[in-house]
Amino acid sequence: MHKLTYQAVLFLFFISQIALAQQPAKPNSTELYNQIKKLNFLGSVLYLAAHPDDENTRLISYMSNEQKARTGYLSLTRGDGGQNLIGTELREQLGVIRTQELIEARKIDGGEQFFTRANDFGFSKVPDETLAIWNKEQVLSDIIWTIRKFQPDVIINRFDHRSPGTTHGHHTSSAMLSVEAFDLANNKNTFPDQLKLVDVWQPKRLLFNVSWWFYGGKDKFDKADKSKLIHFKTGVYYPELGKSNQEIAALSRSRHQSQGFGSTGSRGDDIEYLDQIKGDKVKDETNLFEGIDTSWNRVKGGNAIGEIVTEIEKNFDFKNPSASIPSLVKAYTLIQNLEDKHWKEIKTEEIKKIIAGCAGLYLEAVSETQSATPGSTEKLNLEAINRCITPIKLIDYTLLPQQKTVSQNLDLKNNEGLNIETLIEFPENTAYTEPYWLKEQGTLGMYRVDNQELIGIPDIIRTAKVVFKVQINDVTIPFERPIVYKYNDEVKGEVYKPFDIVPDVTSTILDKVKIFNDNTAKTIGVQIKAGKDNVVGQLHLEAPADWKITPQQIPFSINKKDGTQTVYFEVTPPVIATEATLKSIATLDNKSFNKEQIIINYSHIAEQQILKPSEARLIKLDIKIRGNKIAYIMGAGDNIPESLGQMGYLVEQIKPEEINSEKLTNFDAVIVGIRAYNTVESLAFKQNILFDYVKKGGTMIVQYNTNGRLITKNIAPYPLKISNYRVTDENAEVRFLVPNHKVLNFPNKITSNDFKGWVQEQGLYYPDEWSKEFEAILSSNDDNESPKNGALLIAAYGKGHYIYTGLSFFRELPVGIAGAYRLMANLIAIDQPEKI
């Protein structure tokens, strides 16, 4: 693809994605006026950090809304390695959630969003470790690619490249790579293949956004010498919006719901501090664009456009925005003649939005169903209405990806709606809707995206669209709209959802991990879902030959689209302990389908479809269990209850209000979910009951909590202090401090082999202080660190035992780590008799 054509397509992709699946923008006069002011500013700033929620939304909002600069946030990762406070999704699924949260945040603060291919593999203590797991060359390439595409005049780093080891290794790495990219982006010998698509680019200056975090506290920061730092006030009040800059930033930050970053807006003075790292020195601290022409004079032929836009801004009629349409159309025409393709594409999209807003031009393409399969035909309802007196004509519309253009030549009269029913055909090669970065198998540190043109695009790429071509004042302007699905909810009213391309059939193995304690066969259920009407076929399971599966295949027939059918197989394990991957494959019309459909649906983000191979883990496990009934108190959310059920326990999830002495007597152990003492406030009032349960002979197992925002200091019956200690290397050697302890020997003999194959961190937030009543059972540490002994602490309390563990069971059990299952069985059995 030619460089200029690609840039245009890429920008269209980006613009269409940021408003996807939400109610379409209906800007008021104030919003339109601010868009016009932004149209008149030709400057860009790129904020750069490592994760979703690292960004300074106050500064992004200020640069976008006050300075009117094109403002982007480059997050090197999608936050896949974090914890999830709103559900049980982890890893790639969590990355999809956090991607959408960032997109929603940018809609609020006015920024644009970008990513690299770096995979957030979990906490890293030093950049050397980070860059050894990431492919440094690829991440650097992606940063330079974004700089060359976005062409920022100013780059602002969230973190300091000069302080390795003082913060998350991903943080420091992001700054180090940014400093390196600042010079290399303008070097034609650096990643020269990119230059087939983009030009080299040299930003004007690079800065580090200093914060009190880096000084060890606000008090220390207040006392520090900041005379050499650039600083300016960002506590702007926008009377036309009725909000301060900080209030907008807080709304943006509060989109990070999966990380628990809800933020309360503030008002009044606010100061941002910046340390200049590279580039031309700033003399005027109020102007980061000092020395950069941010007017239309920046581009050849732009002077006339600037004069028109300035006049539009000066004479804008808030009661009649459509009065600006003739001048806007004239400016649009001049923009199409610009030689500078970069600004031509950016400003074309900006002015088209303004023209549509000023005209009250509403264009929409709605499908009668939420999904379609390749090769199918779907009904669309198109709506076009002009709500101003300016004559507008609908010339034609084009259905994509069908590439079919339908001529119309219809006048859109003032406030007279035009509704068109049409059919769209989806070619057989239409791509399924799914996150493009998850299509190919990546590595621990990197996602695999082979197409250079896709790298950095934030969202799922949706090709189902309609391009409306309208004529205003004899000028033809194309407006692209994604096909959406909407319906009326009796409570919520008008609800929008994205329109997806789905396989003819998908299947889901109901148990993602199946544990076999002996040689007995177990039943495995598979749910089949139809992507279209009248789906008839066969389903079979595949596993290594030593696993016996009956029957060999099962026929299915589903009459209605989105209908489901569940079938069951008997699986018999081999005699020896082993593990295997079980695959589900559906066959219809001589085609095989092996995808599982995962729908992520939260109210604060657009609904997301993930397609992945339909697989599960089979584990013939040498494991013994004692005890039967488990009470599970859910915290931030995890899948451990399902894992315990796989082990053979009867698990009941109980709410804090259900906790009482009589109820607890029914359970052999009470397990508290991750971060419960951070997130479940009512649990603080049940501690005495829980401790009394232990005292009478019960077993209480508490999983990790962070050391901030604890709902009670008394999370244990004896003093216990949680720290930030963690062992990030899941392969770190585990030493047994009390090798003869019952928990390491009954009912399963725990050895070093049980800690092999663990994923993403051995453990986190280990206690660093505890009373003498606790015994430390395990010791481990990352390279070049002192031993950390707080991974597993056990204290006798009365007739029972209280156990605190920072081991990452919430990650290990759901993916089927055998040793984690064996150790959990021993924790539960600590108060069970050794002889029955």
Side-chain angles (χ1 to χ4, degrees), residues 244-280:
S244 67
N245 187 65
Q246 302 100 309
E247 289 173 314
I248 294 173
L251 292 172
S252 172
R253 186 129 183 100
S254 296
R255 292 299 87 192
H256 296 297
Q257 292 185 17
S258 65
Q259 298 302 291
F261 279 111
S263 180
T264 299
S266 60
R267 291 145 291 280
D269 284 342
D270 197 14
I271 298 176
E272 287 294 333
Y273 293 88
L274 301 170
D275 183 10
Q276 182 145 5
I277 305 300
K278 282 181 174 286
D280 295 352

Side-chain angles (χ1 to χ4, degrees), residues 386 388-393 412 471-473:
N386 165 28
C388 73
I389 61 173
T390 300
I392 299 179
K393 178 179 286 189
L412 298 179
Q471 188 179 80
I472 307 175
N473 289 0

Side-chain angles (χ1 to χ4, degrees), residues 6 10-11 13-15 17-18 46 70 72-78 99 102-103 106 112-118 138-139 141-150 194 436-437 446-461:
Y6 158 68
L10 177 61
F11 194 79
F13 269 143
F14 178 71
I15 292 298
Q17 295 312 301
I18 60 175
L46 182 66
R70 183 177 180 228
Y73 175 44
L74 174 57
S75 175
L76 298 197
T77 75
R78 296 177 183 268
T99 291
L102 272 184
I103 291 172
R106 298 294 81 78
E112 300 175 29
Q113 186 61 49
F114 305 101
F115 295 97
T116 74
R117 288 170 289 175
Q138 287 185 1
V139 180
S141 168
D142 293 355
I143 295 172
I144 289 174
W145 168 252
T146 303
I147 292 173
R148 288 171 171 174
K149 279 193 315 179
F150 190 72
Q194 294 182 5
Y436 69 89
W437 61 95
M446 299 295 297
Y447 285 119
R448 180 180 170 184
V449 182
D450 296 330
N451 186 343
Q452 179 68 56
E453 300 175 27
L454 301 182
I455 294 171
I457 296 176
D459 206 353
I460 290 172
I461 296 170

Side-chain angles (χ1 to χ4, degrees), residues 48-50 76 143 157-163 169-181 206 208 277:
L48 192 150
L76 298 197
I143 295 172
N157 291 341
R158 167 79 284 188
F159 300 104
D160 190 352
H161 68 287
R162 300 159 296 194
S163 58
H170 296 184
H171 294 168
T172 311
S173 295
S174 72
M176 293 168 63
L177 292 172
S178 176
V179 171
E180 194 171 344
L206 173 68
F208 158 47
I277 305 300

